[in-house]
Amino acid sequence: MIPPIANNFVAGETADDALSHVESLNRDGICGILNLLGEHYSVRQGADEDAAAYVSLVEQLGASDLDGCISVKPSQIGLDVGDDVFRENLDRIVDAAAADDVFVWVDMEDYTTTDVTLDAVDDLGHQTDGSVGVCVQANLKRTPDDLERLADVPGKVRLVKGAYNEPASVAYKKKAKVDEVYKELLEYMFTEFDDGIAVGSHDPSMLSHARDLHGQYGTPYEVQMLMGVREDAQRNLVADDVEMWQYVPYGDKWFQYFYRRVRERKENALFALRAVTGI
């Protein structure tokens, strides 16, 4: 059983638990992004099993009336085993999702995985005419070039600040610089993308900036936040007619997820504390 402090951030241990949570979100006008917890498999069996679980999940979503989609991590479906294993399992998931009209997000992990992840999304975005999306991280110095590439790829792009502790040679380390770059990249997206913009942030200043950019350029966008973080703000955004998506993790690997979220960066630990205590 998931203890109360982790239960704020994880929907449960089973797909049924996660789907039930999405049903409750939908009643508040919030859509759900389902993520089966698990990553960094070093042998193929675990990666194949999680890929099969995702195929089952999209079948359940497709058979329901829920407003939801899925998000997968490359290392969870075989990237650490081999690029070919990752691509085979991702193709398998995307094919099943396309058959059930379910959107697939591909999460971005540390900087060493960026190229293979973008290559896969580029291919699949064109093959599926936009039923896949990818996350990019503002703290990486390469991201302006990546966004220029993705502007011509059908699908969606989620912009986040970046939670991985990357080396200074490839990433900005100071929070103020990351915030500055995030705003610059958002403006690029609102000017160069026709749609498909996902603002992945809990930061009120970034959300305000996105609202201003939408007012200036008219480009459609959505906001994505984690389960358990600023949920009142999520409902307020819905009331302001902003398309709101909540990232909903589930699975029996909840401890690893919760521990990693608060361990990666001190800002994450503070978010977790504030989310639980209401500070």
Side-chain angles (χ1 to χ4, degrees), residues 209-243:
H209 187 55
R211 183 172 60 248
D212 291 344
L213 290 170
H214 173 67
Q216 182 176 356
Y217 298 107
T219 316
Y221 76 106
E222 64 191 54
V223 172
Q224 298 182 6
M225 295 188 191
L226 294 172
M227 177 183 173
V229 180
R230 300 197 67 217
E231 292 198 345
D232 286 344
Q234 295 180 30
R235 288 186 284 271
N236 289 338
L237 285 166
V238 171
D240 289 338
D241 293 324
V242 176
E243 184 177 342

Side-chain angles (χ1 to χ4, degrees), residues 3 13 25 28 34 47 49 55 57-58 63-64 68 99 109 112 116 120 133 157 183 212 226 244 255:
E13 294 190 334
L25 289 176
D28 288 334
L34 292 167
E49 288 174 353
V55 169
L57 178 63
V58 298
S64 74
E109 298 179 279
T112 65
V116 66
V157 177
K183 288 184 176 181
D212 291 344
L226 294 172
M244 182 69 231
F255 180 80

Side-chain angles (χ1 to χ4, degrees), residues 81-103:
V81 183
D83 292 2
D84 57 334
V85 178
F86 158 61
R87 188 56 194 271
E88 182 180 328
N89 277 329
L90 182 60
D91 288 353
R92 177 184 173 194
I93 293 166
V94 170
D95 286 347
D100 285 297
D101 196 26
V102 174
F103 192 85

Side-chain angles (χ1 to χ4, degrees), residues 99-118:
D100 285 297
D101 196 26
V102 174
F103 192 85
V104 178
W105 282 99
V106 183
D107 287 341
M108 189 64 72
E109 298 179 279
D110 72 86
Y111 79 100
T112 65
T113 69
T114 304
D115 284 323
V116 66
T117 302
L118 292 180

Side-chain angles (χ1 to χ4, degrees), residues 157-183:
V157 177
R158 175 200 304 145
L159 181 66
V160 300
K161 292 184 181 181
Y164 291 87
N165 186 20
E166 310 283 26
S169 59
V170 301
Y172 301 111
K173 306 298 286 184
K174 294 186 180 298
K175 181 181 182 301
K177 179 62 177 178
V178 175
D179 287 351
E180 175 189 339
V181 172
Y182 190 98
K183 288 184 176 181

